Amino acid sequence: MHHLKKAAAVVAMTAAIGAGMATPASAASGDYNNYWFGCNYDSSNTFKFRIFYNSNLGGDYRNIGYAVYDFASVQDGTGYSPLKYCGFRSSGSGQNVKNNAASARNSHSSYTGVLYYNSGYKGAADYIWGTVNQLDATYNENASFNWKS
């Protein structure tokens, strides 16, 4: 019995440590947060990845803080909706993010942002660390996003 208690304590400790080291993509409410809070522009914003409608970080943008399985189908709290550019009255305003991205910026200090050609984190990908003035593999053909350590 003593060994079972000790094993349970080790498992609990390991889980707690693992939870503290979770990637930004692991939040259960990631879709909801991306949908509702991805347009906040604030220096303390935890959404460290920004995707732009135009090349050279131009046009409208969308902040992303969590993995997105499919830009066309994001949990919004009542159902599923496409993720859209924020609507700040520049080119791309209100357009769907899926298959409409030309550049990106990642300001996360620990993770690389990865844009994928297909939904479900599949296909060709652009690995973004810092600023990418024009996407290569996913230029106007982007369907999902994830963080990579």
Side-chain angles (χ1 to χ4, degrees):
M1 187 67 147
H2 175 69
H3 293 287
L4 288 176
K5 286 182 181 179
K6 189 173 182 180
V10 169
V11 169
M13 243 173 119
T14 304
I17 291 168
M21 296 173 65
T23 65
S26 65
S29 59
D31 266 5
Y32 181 86
N33 288 331
N34 281 330
Y35 186 84
W36 288 106
F37 305 115
C39 289
N40 294 351
Y41 188 85
D42 180 1
S43 60
S44 65
N45 194 339
T46 59
F47 289 70
K48 301 293 186 186
F49 190 83
R50 184 172 283 183
I51 190 168
F52 291 86
Y53 183 79
N54 288 337
S55 297
N56 300 312
L57 309 180
D60 223 327
Y61 68 85
R62 182 72 187 205
N63 295 321
I64 299 171
Y66 304 92
V68 181
Y69 189 83
D70 181 359
F71 285 129
S73 184
V74 176
Q75 176 61 256
D76 63 14
T78 60
Y80 291 88
S81 299
L83 204 58
K84 295 185 178 287
Y85 286 100
C86 293
F88 294 120
R89 299 184 183 177
S90 60
S91 58
S93 176
Q95 297 293 314
N96 290 340
V97 169
K98 187 171 186 173
N99 298 330
N100 274 321
S103 59
R105 185 181 75 210
N106 177 13
S107 59
H108 202 292
S109 61
S110 302
Y111 296 96
T112 299
V114 185
L115 276 175
Y116 293 91
Y117 188 88
N118 295 322
S119 297
Y121 324 118
K122 296 178 184 165
D126 282 310
Y127 293 80
I128 295 136
W129 183 264
T131 298
V132 174
N133 288 323
Q134 184 166 322
L135 299 170
D136 182 33
T138 62
Y139 182 83
N140 286 335
E141 293 293 339
N142 54 290
S144 58
F145 169 83
N146 208 344
W147 294 104
K148 181 177 177 69
S149 58

